Amino acid sequence: MTSSGPIRIGAIDLGPSTGRVIVGTIDEGRITLTETRRFPNSAIPLPTRAGERLYWDLLLLWSEIRQGLLAAVRDVGPLSAIGVDAWGMDYGLVTGDGVPAGLVSAYNSTRTQGMPERLFEAIPASELYRINGLQVQEFTTVFQLMAENREGGLPTPGNGLPSRTLLLLPDLITCWLTGSMYAEVTNASTTGLVDTRTRSWSRPLVERLRTEMGLDLAGLLPETIEPGTIVGPVRRDALEVFGPDGAPTPVVAVGSNDTASAVVAVPAENEDIAYISCGTWSVVGLELDRAVLTEASRRANFSNELGVDGTVRYLKSVMGLWVLDEAVRAWGEQGLEVSLAELDAAAEASEPLRTVVDIDDRIFVAPGDMAARIDDAARATGQPRPRSIGEYARCVNESLALAYRRAVREAAALSGKRVGALHLVGGGVRNRLLCQLAADATGLPVVAGPVEATALGSIVVAARGAGLISGDLAQLRELVRASSDITRYAPDPAAAPAWDGVERRLFGEPQPRP
């Protein structure tokens, strides 16, 4: 599957709170990861006449990325290829030279409030879903563009602004590395502007946005490309990074949406699986051959995002470990310091299913005192409030497991796909209690790992795109599986009635097992 000698792939992985540069060394059928740079990332609040807005410091990120790549070559060795992934939906407008034409707004700025309703007045939500297949999220790119257009920030005929190109964040970093401008489709599919069936911009939708909303995007959108496309070599004026033969290192378009790369690294041995990319937030989904664009799917708020090798990521965003992280932070501010190991042990020792809440309730989205919010949710549903940090942690883990159960079963019912196992990837797999609870709640065996799924998925697609390894998704996953620590959790059959009762208490009749 691989060429002779070690292959070194650089992975640039950007998240809303942390960015990293990782080198994956492929040798003798395994991948070894070396992190060469880790740096914080956060949206910066700035006052504007329209109120406080949040922006990303792209120049700081660029500086950190350059240092990480230089350290990679210095400390690990020449890079044979580079891939870039990040979160979806956020974008920058650039000039023809790739220079930013303004600040890059963060998805959680308030500027998009009310935009979905405005769009649905012109184009009904059901009609839009049949094109882009996306769940409604206020910060989707199309809603951000509507807000920017309202504020006069988009170049449109007659407003005197020079032409611009819209680049999603991974594409923007790749542009600075190579000088090439494009839209990689796994991330472009999060914009709301892509037809999931054609895997390219929906020109009819773009035209309707122009005629019915006054939103002229025709000149902003670059060509779409599929994962695995070589975008170009790293320019010498951008960075002195060279491959093992002294030639400039190529940059390969990977699954540039971080979840798309994570799904590539799901070490499945068959197709009858569901996956959860679990960290601060969770994404629960299935890998399908085609989108599910039914009205029932829209009402259930499932998304059809594009994946690697022509696949569709049929998924739903649900809560992750954010609630527990925020609870620990609040306890620390109150003078109660607790380690994650202590918290996990206390949760495991606590009474099962004593208090379970709807963890996807919007009350848990904003930062704050999560313990107090759990108390409120317990009181509203006639349950006892937790009495200790262990019981609060147990409540969060069991509530997450219930959310996973509902999302997996709903996805299976809406898609008609059988699910025989559940794969957990990402940082959440370190939480052994959550993994076991997910198995018990869903009634499915859980395969947990790898932790570094996003980086591994980016690395194998970049290596294949550069012609350094070969194989389909199954073979790429075999390489990931051989390189990862995998833990398996069997469901407890005796737990099923109790979980049915919890779901019935909170949501009504439980959904059937897939």
Side-chain angles (χ1 to χ4, degrees):
M1 185 178 179
T2 64
S3 62
S4 60
I7 299 166
R8 300 181 185 91
I9 308 295
I12 299 166
D13 176 28
L14 300 179
S17 58
T18 305
R20 302 175 304 161
V21 177
I22 295 177
V23 177
T25 301
I26 306 174
D27 193 21
E28 297 183 350
R30 290 180 59 86
I31 306 171
T32 303
L33 300 180
T34 305
E35 186 178 283
T36 63
R37 189 79 175 179
R38 176 181 287 266
F39 44 91
N41 184 30
S42 62
I44 301 169
L46 289 176
T48 72
R49 287 184 295 178
E52 186 176 86
R53 295 290 170 78
L54 298 172
Y55 298 93
W56 301 110
D57 190 343
L58 264 293
L59 295 181
L60 178 60
L61 291 180
W62 172 243
S63 175
E64 296 283 1
I65 289 166
R66 292 182 77 255
Q67 292 182 63
L69 290 174
L70 290 171
V73 174
R74 182 188 67 238
D75 299 338
V76 184
L79 301 177
S80 299
I82 295 171
V84 186
D85 72 75
W87 67 96
M89 302 182 188
D90 282 350
Y91 63 90
L93 298 177
V94 301
T95 68
D97 295 326
V99 176
L103 298 174
V104 176
S105 185
Y107 63 90
N108 48 355
S109 285
T110 58
R111 65 176 182 161
T112 56
Q113 290 180 355
M115 292 299 111
E117 292 77 12
R118 288 190 59 199
L119 178 56
F120 298 153
E121 288 176 2
I123 306 175
S126 56
E127 189 173 338
L128 196 64
Y129 190 81
R130 289 194 293 271
I131 299 171
N132 63 31
L134 292 187
Q135 68 185 113
V136 178
Q137 294 177 294
E138 207 167 51
F139 43 78
T140 300
T141 311
V142 65
F143 302 134
Q144 294 194 45
L145 289 167
M146 289 171 58
E148 187 155 353
N149 190 51
R150 179 184 59 184
E151 296 167 357
L154 290 182
T156 56
N159 71 359
L161 292 177
S163 63
R164 300 284 188 262
T165 299
L166 182 150
L167 295 178
L168 296 167
L169 295 191
D171 305 336
L172 181 54
I173 298 301
T174 299
C175 172
W176 287 348
L177 286 170
T178 66
S180 298
M181 299 185 189
Y182 70 93
E184 188 280 314
V185 295
T186 69
N187 218 20
S189 70
T190 70
T191 64
L193 301 169
V194 165
D195 188 321
T196 60
R197 295 158 298 189
T198 64
R199 299 180 68 91
S200 61
W201 304 119
S202 172
R203 297 299 172 184
L205 175 58
V206 169
E207 177 60 18
R208 288 191 66 181
L209 290 171
R210 184 186 68 81
T211 59
E212 300 183 35
M213 301 292 298
L215 182 61
D216 192 349
L217 304 177
L220 290 179
L221 305 177
E223 176 188 357
T224 56
I225 60 173
E226 290 283 343
T229 303
I230 296 178
V231 180
V234 176
R235 299 181 301 171
R236 293 195 178 192
D237 58 342
L239 195 65
E240 289 283 344
V241 175
F242 295 92
D245 57 357
T249 300
V251 178
V252 179
V254 296
S256 66
N257 180 268
D258 50 9
T259 304
S261 279
V263 172
V264 170
V266 170
E269 299 184 55
N270 61 66
E271 297 181 347
D272 294 332
I273 62 106
Y275 60 79
I276 300 175
S277 180
C278 175
T280 304
W281 306 100
S282 297
V283 175
V284 182
L286 309 174
E287 187 173 73
L288 303 178
D289 294 329
R290 62 179 62 87
V292 180
L293 302 176
T294 62
E295 182 63 12
S297 178
R298 182 188 73 82
R299 290 186 180 278
N301 215 25
F302 270 81
S303 264
N304 295 269
E305 299 176 6
L306 301 182
V308 173
D309 288 4
T311 58
V312 172
R313 295 175 286 130
Y314 186 57
L315 54 84
K316 193 173 198 176
S317 297
V318 302
M319 187 56 70
L321 293 169
W322 158 256
V323 176
L324 197 55
D325 293 342
E326 272 296 286
V328 170
R329 182 192 62 77
W331 289 329
E333 290 179 350
Q334 298 163 12
L336 181 60
E337 298 292 340
V338 57
S339 71
L340 290 179
E342 292 170 332
L343 196 62
D344 289 346
E348 288 194 44
S350 296
E351 180 183 344
L353 300 178
R354 181 177 184 272
T355 308
V356 181
V357 300
D358 179 5
I359 204 72
D360 283 327
D361 192 299
R362 291 194 61 81
I363 65 171
F364 297 112
V365 172
D369 187 345
M370 294 299 177
R373 296 175 191 176
I374 288 172
D375 289 347
D376 291 341
R379 189 179 303 110
T381 52
Q383 300 179 80
R385 60 179 291 274
R387 299 162 297 189
S388 65
I389 60 170
E391 289 190 353
Y392 279 108
R394 180 107 193 177
C395 171
V396 172
N397 282 308
E398 290 178 336
S399 301
L400 280 174
L402 180 62
Y404 296 162
R405 164 193 168 111
R406 288 175 57 78
V408 167
R409 294 186 175 191
E410 199 169 20
L414 290 167
S415 67
K417 179 174 179 176
R418 177 186 176 274
V419 176
L422 176 61
H423 280 256
L424 265 67
V425 298
V429 306
R430 296 188 180 99
N431 187 329
R432 295 175 303 170
L433 176 60
L434 178 59
C435 293
Q436 183 60 58
L437 290 171
D440 293 342
T442 61
L444 297 170
V446 164
V447 183
V451 173
E452 297 289 359
T454 299
L456 286 165
S458 177
I459 286 162
V460 295
V461 172
R464 187 183 65 173
L468 303 168
I469 64 174
S470 61
D472 58 15
L473 277 177
Q475 291 168 301
L476 296 184
R477 286 168 175 157
E478 183 179 346
L479 176 58
V480 169
R481 193 162 55 248
S483 309
S484 305
D485 293 327
I486 305 294
T487 305
R488 300 177 185 275
Y489 298 82
D492 177 4
W499 282 100
D500 286 345
V502 168
E503 185 174 3
R504 185 177 294 108
R505 183 173 70 231
L506 288 178
F507 300 103
E509 194 63 26
Q511 299 176 66
R513 179 174 173 173

